[in-house]
PDB file of all heavy atoms in Angstrom:
ATOM      1  N   LEU K 203      -6.815  12.528 -16.902  1.00  0.00           N
ATOM      2  CA  LEU K 203      -7.005  11.643 -15.775  1.00  0.00           C
ATOM      3  C   LEU K 203      -8.523  11.577 -15.414  1.00  0.00           C
ATOM      4  O   LEU K 203      -9.141  12.638 -15.218  1.00  0.00           O
ATOM      5  CB  LEU K 203      -6.209  12.098 -14.525  1.00  0.00           C
ATOM      6  CG  LEU K 203      -6.404  11.328 -13.228  1.00  0.00           C
ATOM      7  CD1 LEU K 203      -5.933   9.891 -13.388  1.00  0.00           C
ATOM      8  CD2 LEU K 203      -5.681  12.008 -12.096  1.00  0.00           C
ATOM      9  N   PHE K 204      -9.037  10.364 -15.304  1.00  0.00           N
ATOM     10  CA  PHE K 204     -10.397  10.142 -14.869  1.00  0.00           C
ATOM     11  C   PHE K 204     -10.328   9.196 -13.687  1.00  0.00           C
ATOM     12  O   PHE K 204     -10.273   7.965 -13.826  1.00  0.00           O
ATOM     13  CB  PHE K 204     -11.237   9.537 -15.996  1.00  0.00           C
ATOM     14  CG  PHE K 204     -11.066  10.294 -17.321  1.00  0.00           C
ATOM     15  CD1 PHE K 204     -10.121   9.873 -18.250  1.00  0.00           C
ATOM     16  CD2 PHE K 204     -11.867  11.367 -17.598  1.00  0.00           C
ATOM     17  CE1 PHE K 204      -9.988  10.558 -19.439  1.00  0.00           C
ATOM     18  CE2 PHE K 204     -11.716  12.068 -18.788  1.00  0.00           C
ATOM     19  CZ  PHE K 204     -10.775  11.695 -19.706  1.00  0.00           C
ATOM     20  N   LEU K 205     -10.278   9.776 -12.504  1.00  0.00           N
ATOM     21  CA  LEU K 205     -10.015   9.025 -11.233  1.00  0.00           C
ATOM     22  C   LEU K 205     -11.249   9.028 -10.399  1.00  0.00           C
ATOM     23  O   LEU K 205     -11.717  10.048  -9.921  1.00  0.00           O
ATOM     24  CB  LEU K 205      -8.863   9.597 -10.500  1.00  0.00           C
ATOM     25  CG  LEU K 205      -8.491   8.962  -9.144  1.00  0.00           C
ATOM     26  CD1 LEU K 205      -8.079   7.529  -9.349  1.00  0.00           C
ATOM     27  CD2 LEU K 205      -7.364   9.741  -8.448  1.00  0.00           C
ATOM     28  N   TYR K 206     -11.806   7.823 -10.197  1.00  0.00           N
ATOM     29  CA  TYR K 206     -12.991   7.610  -9.305  1.00  0.00           C
ATOM     30  C   TYR K 206     -12.442   6.884  -8.075  1.00  0.00           C
ATOM     31  O   TYR K 206     -12.188   5.676  -8.177  1.00  0.00           O
ATOM     32  CB  TYR K 206     -14.037   6.810 -10.027  1.00  0.00           C
ATOM     33  CG  TYR K 206     -14.689   7.506 -11.177  1.00  0.00           C
ATOM     34  CD1 TYR K 206     -14.048   7.528 -12.415  1.00  0.00           C
ATOM     35  CD2 TYR K 206     -15.927   8.109 -11.034  1.00  0.00           C
ATOM     36  CE1 TYR K 206     -14.663   8.139 -13.517  1.00  0.00           C
ATOM     37  CE2 TYR K 206     -16.540   8.756 -12.172  1.00  0.00           C
ATOM     38  CZ  TYR K 206     -15.912   8.774 -13.387  1.00  0.00           C
ATOM     39  OH  TYR K 206     -16.458   9.401 -14.442  1.00  0.00           O
ATOM     40  N   THR K 207     -12.296   7.563  -6.965  1.00  0.00           N
ATOM     41  CA  THR K 207     -11.807   6.972  -5.755  1.00  0.00           C
ATOM     42  C   THR K 207     -12.555   7.483  -4.556  1.00  0.00           C
ATOM     43  O   THR K 207     -13.030   8.628  -4.566  1.00  0.00           O
ATOM     44  CB  THR K 207     -10.279   7.243  -5.581  1.00  0.00           C
ATOM     45  OG1 THR K 207      -9.818   6.580  -4.382  1.00  0.00           O
ATOM     46  CG2 THR K 207     -10.031   8.725  -5.535  1.00  0.00           C
ATOM     47  N   SER K 208     -12.701   6.666  -3.559  1.00  0.00           N
ATOM     48  CA  SER K 208     -13.501   7.101  -2.363  1.00  0.00           C
ATOM     49  C   SER K 208     -12.635   7.950  -1.442  1.00  0.00           C
ATOM     50  O   SER K 208     -11.446   7.769  -1.313  1.00  0.00           O
ATOM     51  CB  SER K 208     -13.966   5.836  -1.620  1.00  0.00           C
ATOM     52  OG  SER K 208     -14.827   5.078  -2.414  1.00  0.00           O
ATOM     53  N   ASP K 209     -13.305   8.896  -0.816  1.00  0.00           N
ATOM     54  CA  ASP K 209     -12.670   9.768   0.177  1.00  0.00           C
ATOM     55  C   ASP K 209     -12.091   8.912   1.335  1.00  0.00           C
ATOM     56  O   ASP K 209     -12.830   8.184   1.963  1.00  0.00           O
ATOM     57  CB  ASP K 209     -13.702  10.747   0.690  1.00  0.00           C
ATOM     58  CG  ASP K 209     -13.112  11.743   1.674  1.00  0.00           C
ATOM     59  OD1 ASP K 209     -11.950  11.574   2.099  1.00  0.00           O
ATOM     60  OD2 ASP K 209     -13.814  12.712   2.056  1.00  0.00           O
ATOM     61  N   PRO K 210     -10.751   8.996   1.551  1.00  0.00           N
ATOM     62  CA  PRO K 210     -10.161   8.116   2.597  1.00  0.00           C
ATOM     63  C   PRO K 210     -10.695   8.421   3.988  1.00  0.00           C
ATOM     64  O   PRO K 210     -10.550   7.602   4.864  1.00  0.00           O
ATOM     65  CB  PRO K 210      -8.682   8.401   2.472  1.00  0.00           C
ATOM     66  CG  PRO K 210      -8.584   9.716   1.792  1.00  0.00           C
ATOM     67  CD  PRO K 210      -9.779   9.797   0.855  1.00  0.00           C
ATOM     68  N   ASP K 211     -11.263   9.641   4.178  1.00  0.00           N
ATOM     69  CA  ASP K 211     -11.773  10.033   5.523  1.00  0.00           C
ATOM     70  C   ASP K 211     -13.233   9.690   5.698  1.00  0.00           C
ATOM     71  O   ASP K 211     -13.765   9.873   6.809  1.00  0.00           O
ATOM     72  CB  ASP K 211     -11.546  11.517   5.743  1.00  0.00           C
ATOM     73  CG  ASP K 211     -10.037  11.861   5.754  1.00  0.00           C
ATOM     74  OD1 ASP K 211      -9.277  11.048   6.267  1.00  0.00           O
ATOM     75  OD2 ASP K 211      -9.702  12.947   5.286  1.00  0.00           O
ATOM     76  N   ALA K 212     -13.895   9.218   4.651  1.00  0.00           N
ATOM     77  CA  ALA K 212     -15.299   8.866   4.744  1.00  0.00           C
ATOM     78  C   ALA K 212     -15.525   7.496   5.324  1.00  0.00           C
ATOM     79  O   ALA K 212     -14.572   6.683   5.338  1.00  0.00           O
ATOM     80  CB  ALA K 212     -15.972   9.015   3.382  1.00  0.00           C
ATOM     81  N   ASP K 213     -16.747   7.218   5.743  1.00  0.00           N
ATOM     82  CA  ASP K 213     -17.069   5.873   6.226  1.00  0.00           C
ATOM     83  C   ASP K 213     -16.918   4.873   5.059  1.00  0.00           C
ATOM     84  O   ASP K 213     -17.659   4.973   4.087  1.00  0.00           O
ATOM     85  CB  ASP K 213     -18.534   5.867   6.713  1.00  0.00           C
ATOM     86  CG  ASP K 213     -19.015   4.502   7.204  1.00  0.00           C
ATOM     87  OD1 ASP K 213     -18.194   3.540   7.155  1.00  0.00           O
ATOM     88  OD2 ASP K 213     -20.181   4.384   7.635  1.00  0.00           O
ATOM     89  N   PRO K 214     -15.958   3.927   5.167  1.00  0.00           N
ATOM     90  CA  PRO K 214     -15.667   3.078   4.031  1.00  0.00           C
ATOM     91  C   PRO K 214     -16.795   2.143   3.658  1.00  0.00           C
ATOM     92  O   PRO K 214     -16.824   1.545   2.590  1.00  0.00           O
ATOM     93  CB  PRO K 214     -14.429   2.325   4.452  1.00  0.00           C
ATOM     94  CG  PRO K 214     -14.476   2.330   5.934  1.00  0.00           C
ATOM     95  CD  PRO K 214     -15.093   3.622   6.321  1.00  0.00           C
ATOM     96  N   PHE K 215     -17.765   1.929   4.589  1.00  0.00           N
ATOM     97  CA  PHE K 215     -18.825   0.948   4.369  1.00  0.00           C
ATOM     98  C   PHE K 215     -20.149   1.631   3.968  1.00  0.00           C
ATOM     99  O   PHE K 215     -21.127   0.903   3.757  1.00  0.00           O
ATOM    100  CB  PHE K 215     -18.984   0.116   5.622  1.00  0.00           C
ATOM    101  CG  PHE K 215     -17.700  -0.391   6.187  1.00  0.00           C
ATOM    102  CD1 PHE K 215     -17.228   0.050   7.417  1.00  0.00           C
ATOM    103  CD2 PHE K 215     -16.923  -1.323   5.478  1.00  0.00           C
ATOM    104  CE1 PHE K 215     -16.016  -0.387   7.931  1.00  0.00           C
ATOM    105  CE2 PHE K 215     -15.710  -1.718   5.964  1.00  0.00           C
ATOM    106  CZ  PHE K 215     -15.249  -1.292   7.177  1.00  0.00           C
ATOM    107  N   ALA K 216     -20.194   2.929   3.865  1.00  0.00           N
ATOM    108  CA  ALA K 216     -21.419   3.602   3.529  1.00  0.00           C
ATOM    109  C   ALA K 216     -21.609   3.571   2.036  1.00  0.00           C
ATOM    110  O   ALA K 216     -20.687   3.617   1.208  1.00  0.00           O
ATOM    111  CB  ALA K 216     -21.339   5.069   4.012  1.00  0.00           C
ATOM    112  N   GLU K 217     -22.893   3.556   1.618  1.00  0.00           N
ATOM    113  CA  GLU K 217     -23.205   3.461   0.168  1.00  0.00           C
ATOM    114  C   GLU K 217     -22.687   4.669  -0.580  1.00  0.00           C
ATOM    115  O   GLU K 217     -22.171   4.519  -1.691  1.00  0.00           O
ATOM    116  CB  GLU K 217     -24.713   3.332   0.013  1.00  0.00           C
ATOM    117  CG  GLU K 217     -25.161   3.255  -1.453  1.00  0.00           C
ATOM    118  CD  GLU K 217     -26.646   3.030  -1.656  1.00  0.00           C
ATOM    119  OE1 GLU K 217     -27.242   2.268  -0.844  1.00  0.00           O
ATOM    120  OE2 GLU K 217     -27.238   3.647  -2.580  1.00  0.00           O
ATOM    121  N   GLU K 218     -22.824   5.859   0.010  1.00  0.00           N
ATOM    122  CA  GLU K 218     -22.332   7.064  -0.701  1.00  0.00           C
ATOM    123  C   GLU K 218     -20.812   7.034  -0.920  1.00  0.00           C
ATOM    124  O   GLU K 218     -20.346   7.572  -1.932  1.00  0.00           O
ATOM    125  CB  GLU K 218     -22.733   8.335   0.068  1.00  0.00           C
ATOM    126  CG  GLU K 218     -22.275   8.408   1.488  1.00  0.00           C
ATOM    127  CD  GLU K 218     -23.321   7.888   2.468  1.00  0.00           C
ATOM    128  OE1 GLU K 218     -24.135   7.015   2.078  1.00  0.00           O
ATOM    129  OE2 GLU K 218     -23.323   8.366   3.634  1.00  0.00           O
ATOM    130  N   THR K 219     -20.062   6.383  -0.014  1.00  0.00           N
ATOM    131  CA  THR K 219     -18.655   6.227  -0.171  1.00  0.00           C
ATOM    132  C   THR K 219     -18.332   5.283  -1.316  1.00  0.00           C
ATOM    133  O   THR K 219     -17.456   5.514  -2.128  1.00  0.00           O
ATOM    134  CB  THR K 219     -17.978   5.773   1.133  1.00  0.00           C
ATOM    135  OG1 THR K 219     -18.343   6.625   2.178  1.00  0.00           O
ATOM    136  CG2 THR K 219     -16.475   5.743   1.001  1.00  0.00           C
ATOM    137  N   ILE K 220     -19.053   4.197  -1.383  1.00  0.00           N
ATOM    138  CA  ILE K 220     -18.904   3.157  -2.394  1.00  0.00           C
ATOM    139  C   ILE K 220     -19.164   3.800  -3.795  1.00  0.00           C
ATOM    140  O   ILE K 220     -18.441   3.549  -4.752  1.00  0.00           O
ATOM    141  CB  ILE K 220     -19.798   1.982  -2.186  1.00  0.00           C
ATOM    142  CG1 ILE K 220     -19.405   1.285  -0.889  1.00  0.00           C
ATOM    143  CG2 ILE K 220     -19.751   1.020  -3.338  1.00  0.00           C
ATOM    144  CD1 ILE K 220     -20.384   0.166  -0.463  1.00  0.00           C
ATOM    145  N   ARG K 221     -20.198   4.632  -3.882  1.00  0.00           N
ATOM    146  CA  ARG K 221     -20.564   5.256  -5.128  1.00  0.00           C
ATOM    147  C   ARG K 221     -19.437   6.156  -5.697  1.00  0.00           C
ATOM    148  O   ARG K 221     -19.318   6.340  -6.943  1.00  0.00           O
ATOM    149  CB  ARG K 221     -21.863   6.050  -5.016  1.00  0.00           C
ATOM    150  CG  ARG K 221     -23.112   5.222  -4.859  1.00  0.00           C
ATOM    151  CD  ARG K 221     -24.385   6.111  -4.741  1.00  0.00           C
ATOM    152  NE  ARG K 221     -25.606   5.325  -4.637  1.00  0.00           N
ATOM    153  CZ  ARG K 221     -26.272   4.840  -5.693  1.00  0.00           C
ATOM    154  NH1 ARG K 221     -25.834   5.088  -6.931  1.00  0.00           N
ATOM    155  NH2 ARG K 221     -27.375   4.170  -5.494  1.00  0.00           N
ATOM    156  N   GLN K 222     -18.645   6.761  -4.835  1.00  0.00           N
ATOM    157  CA  GLN K 222     -17.596   7.630  -5.303  1.00  0.00           C
ATOM    158  C   GLN K 222     -16.589   6.899  -6.206  1.00  0.00           C
ATOM    159  O   GLN K 222     -16.074   7.501  -7.132  1.00  0.00           O
ATOM    160  CB  GLN K 222     -16.845   8.240  -4.117  1.00  0.00           C
ATOM    161  CG  GLN K 222     -17.660   9.182  -3.287  1.00  0.00           C
ATOM    162  CD  GLN K 222     -16.889   9.670  -2.015  1.00  0.00           C
ATOM    163  OE1 GLN K 222     -15.834   9.126  -1.703  1.00  0.00           O
ATOM    164  NE2 GLN K 222     -17.469  10.640  -1.340  1.00  0.00           N
ATOM    165  N   ALA K 223     -16.341   5.627  -5.978  1.00  0.00           N
ATOM    166  CA  ALA K 223     -15.388   4.882  -6.729  1.00  0.00           C
ATOM    167  C   ALA K 223     -16.041   3.971  -7.756  1.00  0.00           C
ATOM    168  O   ALA K 223     -15.299   3.317  -8.565  1.00  0.00           O
ATOM    169  CB  ALA K 223     -14.492   4.025  -5.787  1.00  0.00           C
ATOM    170  N   ASN K 224     -17.341   3.901  -7.753  1.00  0.00           N
ATOM    171  CA  ASN K 224     -18.035   2.914  -8.617  1.00  0.00           C
ATOM    172  C   ASN K 224     -19.207   3.617  -9.344  1.00  0.00           C
ATOM    173  O   ASN K 224     -20.372   3.573  -8.891  1.00  0.00           O
ATOM    174  CB  ASN K 224     -18.592   1.779  -7.764  1.00  0.00           C
ATOM    175  CG  ASN K 224     -17.462   0.978  -7.120  1.00  0.00           C
ATOM    176  OD1 ASN K 224     -16.893   0.066  -7.738  1.00  0.00           O
ATOM    177  ND2 ASN K 224     -17.111   1.321  -5.905  1.00  0.00           N
ATOM    178  N   PRO K 225     -18.948   4.260 -10.476  1.00  0.00           N
ATOM    179  CA  PRO K 225     -19.997   5.016 -11.186  1.00  0.00           C
ATOM    180  C   PRO K 225     -21.059   4.094 -11.688  1.00  0.00           C
ATOM    181  O   PRO K 225     -22.186   4.546 -11.966  1.00  0.00           O
ATOM    182  CB  PRO K 225     -19.239   5.663 -12.341  1.00  0.00           C
ATOM    183  CG  PRO K 225     -18.001   4.854 -12.496  1.00  0.00           C
ATOM    184  CD  PRO K 225     -17.624   4.393 -11.117  1.00  0.00           C
ATOM    185  N   ALA K 226     -20.800   2.777 -11.773  1.00  0.00           N
ATOM    186  CA  ALA K 226     -21.835   1.819 -12.281  1.00  0.00           C
ATOM    187  C   ALA K 226     -22.647   1.195 -11.129  1.00  0.00           C
ATOM    188  O   ALA K 226     -23.457   0.277 -11.357  1.00  0.00           O
ATOM    189  CB  ALA K 226     -21.173   0.713 -13.112  1.00  0.00           C
ATOM    190  N   PHE K 227     -22.402   1.653  -9.880  1.00  0.00           N
ATOM    191  CA  PHE K 227     -23.076   1.075  -8.749  1.00  0.00           C
ATOM    192  C   PHE K 227     -24.617   1.176  -8.873  1.00  0.00           C
ATOM    193  O   PHE K 227     -25.148   2.242  -9.215  1.00  0.00           O
ATOM    194  CB  PHE K 227     -22.649   1.770  -7.456  1.00  0.00           C
ATOM    195  CG  PHE K 227     -23.278   1.233  -6.188  1.00  0.00           C
ATOM    196  CD1 PHE K 227     -22.687   0.154  -5.568  1.00  0.00           C
ATOM    197  CD2 PHE K 227     -24.415   1.824  -5.662  1.00  0.00           C
ATOM    198  CE1 PHE K 227     -23.280  -0.375  -4.387  1.00  0.00           C
ATOM    199  CE2 PHE K 227     -24.953   1.334  -4.459  1.00  0.00           C
ATOM    200  CZ  PHE K 227     -24.373   0.236  -3.869  1.00  0.00           C
ATOM    201  N   ALA K 228     -25.308   0.025  -8.667  1.00  0.00           N
ATOM    202  CA  ALA K 228     -26.778  -0.022  -8.749  1.00  0.00           C
ATOM    203  C   ALA K 228     -27.256   0.164 -10.193  1.00  0.00           C
ATOM    204  O   ALA K 228     -28.454   0.339 -10.425  1.00  0.00           O
ATOM    205  CB  ALA K 228     -27.482   0.950  -7.839  1.00  0.00           C
ATOM    206  N   ASP K 229     -26.328   0.167 -11.140  1.00  0.00           N
ATOM    207  CA  ASP K 229     -26.698   0.225 -12.586  1.00  0.00           C
ATOM    208  C   ASP K 229     -26.428  -1.139 -13.139  1.00  0.00           C
ATOM    209  O   ASP K 229     -27.227  -2.068 -12.923  1.00  0.00           O
ATOM    210  CB  ASP K 229     -25.896   1.322 -13.264  1.00  0.00           C
ATOM    211  CG  ASP K 229     -26.273   1.455 -14.744  1.00  0.00           C
ATOM    212  OD1 ASP K 229     -27.222   0.791 -15.181  1.00  0.00           O
ATOM    213  OD2 ASP K 229     -25.633   2.295 -15.445  1.00  0.00           O
ATOM    214  N   PHE K 230     -25.263  -1.344 -13.798  1.00  0.00           N
ATOM    215  CA  PHE K 230     -24.921  -2.707 -14.209  1.00  0.00           C
ATOM    216  C   PHE K 230     -23.954  -3.402 -13.249  1.00  0.00           C
ATOM    217  O   PHE K 230     -23.536  -4.531 -13.443  1.00  0.00           O
ATOM    218  CB  PHE K 230     -24.386  -2.712 -15.627  1.00  0.00           C
ATOM    219  CG  PHE K 230     -23.239  -1.828 -15.883  1.00  0.00           C
ATOM    220  CD1 PHE K 230     -21.946  -2.107 -15.498  1.00  0.00           C
ATOM    221  CD2 PHE K 230     -23.446  -0.630 -16.537  1.00  0.00           C
ATOM    222  CE1 PHE K 230     -20.872  -1.290 -15.743  1.00  0.00           C
ATOM    223  CE2 PHE K 230     -22.376   0.221 -16.794  1.00  0.00           C
ATOM    224  CZ  PHE K 230     -21.095  -0.126 -16.393  1.00  0.00           C
TER     225      PHE K 230
END
Side-chain angles (χ1 to χ4, degrees):
L203 176 63
F204 310 93
L205 178 61
Y206 294 79
T207 181
S208 299
D209 183 350
D211 297 324
D213 178 1
F215 312 113
E217 181 177 320
E218 55 267 28
T219 306
I220 296 172
R221 287 182 179 275
Q222 292 175 351
N224 297 274
F227 182 83
D229 182 5
F230 53 79

